[in-house]
C-alpha cells in the first residue's frame, strides 16, 4: 500500500531541479518530463520514480510473459524499459552486432518513492515501509541549493561506427531491397560513440533537455548505466480502454529567421516523400493496433501534422483504438513492439534487413521507457535523440536514423542524420 500526500510548490521549475539533484543518491531512477507540452493526452508535467522495492531484469526470452506476470503481481506503479532487442523473443530474429553499452533487454522496478507533478502541485506516493520519510524528504528536497554544476566530463572524441562512404553503400543496398519489393520502407540507423569517456550524466541530461525541451524527455539511471533522452515521440499510451500511438516521420531544420522558418515548416507539410513515409508508418500502426482493438475502432485522429520544437519541425500522426476491458495491458505492447517508426514496412522483413546492414546492436536506442499505473494504464516514449552511457566501461553512445523509401537520396538522408545528431554532439563536445 502507498501513503499519498499532496503538496503545493512555489516554483515548479526549481522544484524539478531540486528533485533531480536529490534523486542521484539512488541506484534506480526514472524521470520523465513533458517540458510543459500539454496535449490532449498529457496527464503529468513530470514524474519521478526512485529506489526499487522489487524489480525484474531479464533477457528477451519470454520477456513479455515475465513482464505481464510482474505487472499483475505488483498491481502497483512500475517503471522501466524495453530494449529494441526484445523483438527477438517475438519473431525468429537476432541481434548479433556490436554492443558497447550492455543494457539488459528488459528492466522494470516498483519504486518506494514516487512524485507526480502537475502545475503547482506535487502528489507524493510512498510505500508504507518508507512513509515515515515522506515529510523529511520533502523538506530536504526543498532545501537543495540550485547551483552551476562543475563538469566531471573528460574531453569527448566522437567516432563513427559507419563512415560516410559506407553509409552511402548501405543506403543503396537498402534501396535495392525496396526496388526488389522486399520492403516499402525501413528505418536505417547509425551509431556515434566515444571510448574512455567520462561524463556527468545529470549535467549532460540537463544540457540536452535545455537545448531541445521535448515532450518525452527522460533521465534513467540503472546502477552504472544511464539514459539521457530528449525524445519528442510517444510510442504508445493506454488510458482506460483507449490506446494512443503517435508516430513521427518527417523532419526539417528550424531557422532563426521567422519567414524562413515558416517556409521550412510549409515545405515539410507539403513534402511528398516525408508524407509518404509518415503515411506508410500510420498504416503499419493501424494494423498493429487492430490486433487488440474492438472492431472498427482504429481511428487516425491526426495525419501528418507538423509540430515545431526548438531544434526541428516534426511531422506527427495520432492513431487511436478502443480495447475491451479484459485485454491485458502487456498484450498491447507485445502486439505493437517494436514501434513502426523505428522499423519499417512490412515490419518483420524490415527488421531482418536492418540487422544485416547496421553495425551496432540498438539495445535501448529505439526501445522505450515508461510506466504502468496500478490500474493497468501506461505511457511509453520512443528512445531517440538520446545519449547512452555505461559508466563502468566509460562508453558513451548516441544513434540516429532515418526512414529509407524508394524516393530517398543517400546524401539527403546522411544530412538529416547529422541534423538529428547535432544536439547530442554539441552537448557532449561543449
Amino acid at each position: 500500500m502507498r501513503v499519498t500526500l499532496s503538496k503545493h510548490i512555489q516554483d515548479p521549475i526549481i522544484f524539478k531541479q531540486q528533485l533531480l539533484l536529490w534523486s542521484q543518491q539512488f541506484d534506480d531512477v526514472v524521470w520523465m518530463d513533458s517540458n510543459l507540452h500539454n496535449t490532449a493526452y498529457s496527464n503529468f508535467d513530470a514524474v519521478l520514480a526512485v529506489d526499487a522495492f522489487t524489480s525484474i531484469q531479464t533477457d528477451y526470452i519470454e520477456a513479455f510473459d515475465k513482464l505481464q506476470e510482474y505487472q499483475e503481481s505488483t498491481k502497483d506503479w512500475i517503471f522501466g524499459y524495453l530494449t529494441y532487442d526484445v523483438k527477438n523473443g517475438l519473431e525468429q530474429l537476432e541481434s548479433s552486432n556490436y554492443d558497447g553499452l550492455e543494457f539488459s533487454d528488459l528492466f522494470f522496478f516498483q519504486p518506494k518513492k514516487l512524485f507526480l507533478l502537475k502545475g503547482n502541485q506535487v502528489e507524493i506516493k510512498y510505500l508504507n515501509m518508507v512513509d515515515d520519510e515522506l515529510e523529511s524528504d520533502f523538506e530536504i528536497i526543498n532545501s537543495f541549493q540550485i547551483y552551476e554544476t562543475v563538469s566531471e566530463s573528460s574531453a569527448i572524441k566522437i567516432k563513427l561506427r559507419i563512415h560516410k562512404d559506407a553509409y552511402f553503400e548501405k543506403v543503396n543496398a537498402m534501396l535495392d531491397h525496396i526496388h526488389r519489393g522486399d520492403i516499402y520502407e525501413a528505418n536505417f540507423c547509425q551509431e556515434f560513440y566515444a571510448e574512455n569517456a567520462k561524463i556527468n550524466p545529470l549535467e549532460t541530461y540537463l544540457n540536452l533537455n535545455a537545448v531541445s525541451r521535448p515532450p518525452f524527455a527522460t533521465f534513467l539511471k540503472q546502477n552504472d548505466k544511464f539514459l539521457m533522452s530528449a525524445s519528442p515521440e510517444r510510442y504508445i499510451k493506454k488510458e482506460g480502454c483507449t490506446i494512443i500511438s503517435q508516430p513521427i516521420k518527417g523532419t526539417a531544420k528550424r531557422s532563426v529567421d521567422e519567414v524562413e522558418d515558416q517556409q521550412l515548416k510549409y515545405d515539410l507539410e507539403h513534402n511528398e516523400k516525408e508524407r509518404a513515409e509518415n503515411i506508410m508508418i500510420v498504416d503499419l500502426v493501424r494494423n498493429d493496433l487492430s490486433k487488440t482493438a474492438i472492431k472498427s475502432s482504429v481511428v487516425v485522429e491526426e495525419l501528418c501534422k507538423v509540430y515545431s520544437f526548438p531544434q526541428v519541425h516534426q511531422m506527427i500522426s495520432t492513431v487511436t483504438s478502443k480495447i475491451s476491458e479484459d485485454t491485458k495491458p502487456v498484450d498491447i505492447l507485445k502486439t505493437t513492439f517494436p514501434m513502426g517508426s523505428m522499423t519499417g514496412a512490412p515490419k518483420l522483413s524490415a527488421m531482418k534487413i536492418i540487422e544485416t546492414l547496421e553495425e551496432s546492436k540498438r539495445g535501448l536506442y529505439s526501445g522505450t521507457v515508461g510506466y504502468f499505473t496500478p490500474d493497468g494504464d501506461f505511457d511509453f516514449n520512443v528512445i531517440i535523440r538520446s545519449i547512452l552511457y555505461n559508466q563502468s566501461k566509460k562508453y558513451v553512445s548516441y544513434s540516429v536514423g532515418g526512414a529509407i523509401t524508394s524516393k530517398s537520396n543517400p546524401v539527403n538522408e546522411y544530412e538529416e542524420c547529422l541534423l538529428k545528431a547535432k544536439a547530442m554532439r554539441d552537448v557532449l563536445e561543449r
Side-chain angles (χ1 to χ4, degrees), residues 167-313:
Y167 177 87
F168 292 157
E169 290 176 8
K170 288 173 180 290
V171 170
N172 282 320
M174 188 79 76
L175 287 168
D176 288 343
H177 282 289
I178 292 169
H179 296 146
R180 285 200 300 268
D182 301 331
I183 50 174
Y184 306 111
E185 175 180 354
N187 192 286
F188 177 59
C189 301
Q190 58 175 320
E191 182 193 18
F192 299 79
Y193 67 99
E195 298 168 306
N196 297 314
K198 184 179 180 182
I199 66 172
N200 180 319
L202 180 57
E203 180 187 32
T204 302
Y205 165 75
L206 292 172
N207 289 336
L208 182 63
N209 189 52
V211 169
S212 302
R213 300 194 303 277
F216 298 98
T218 301
F219 176 86
L220 179 144
K221 175 184 179 184
Q222 184 196 2
N223 297 310
D224 64 338
K225 299 177 183 68
F226 295 84
L227 164 71
M228 297 139 276
S229 176
S231 174
E233 184 172 359
R234 169 178 277 128
Y235 158 39
I236 198 162
K237 179 175 184 176
K238 177 180 179 290
E239 198 170 67
C241 290
T242 301
I243 307 300
I244 305 106
S245 183
Q246 295 181 292
I248 291 178
K249 271 287 164 278
T251 304
K253 66 181 180 180
R254 299 293 308 268
S255 173
V256 294
D257 181 84
E258 186 175 345
V259 173
E260 184 183 8
D261 192 58
Q262 288 302 311
Q263 186 63 48
L264 290 165
K265 182 177 180 180
Y266 178 87
D267 291 344
L268 177 59
E269 288 172 336
H270 296 86
N271 186 304
E272 287 187 16
K273 172 187 173 292
E274 303 283 16
R275 290 183 66 87
E277 288 179 10
N278 196 295
I279 290 167
M280 273 191 267
I281 298 305
V282 166
D283 285 341
L284 189 155
V285 170
R286 289 173 62 222
N287 181 67
D288 283 351
L289 292 186
S290 71
K291 295 170 185 175
T292 54
I294 295 170
K295 189 176 180 181
S296 302
S297 71
V298 179
V299 176
V300 180
E301 292 192 356
E302 288 182 337
L303 184 64
C304 299
K305 183 173 180 179
V306 174
Y307 289 81
S308 298
F309 300 96
Q311 294 259 306
V312 292
H313 299 293

Side-chain angles (χ1 to χ4, degrees), residues 77-106:
W77 294 83
I78 58 172
F79 289 73
Y81 65 76
L82 302 165
T83 69
Y84 174 78
D85 304 296
V86 171
K87 67 180 174 54
N88 299 341
L90 296 173
E91 303 283 356
Q92 293 298 310
L93 296 165
E94 61 179 9
S95 297
S96 55
N97 290 327
Y98 178 75
D99 177 15
L101 290 160
E102 299 180 352
F103 281 81
S104 55
D105 289 337
L106 179 149

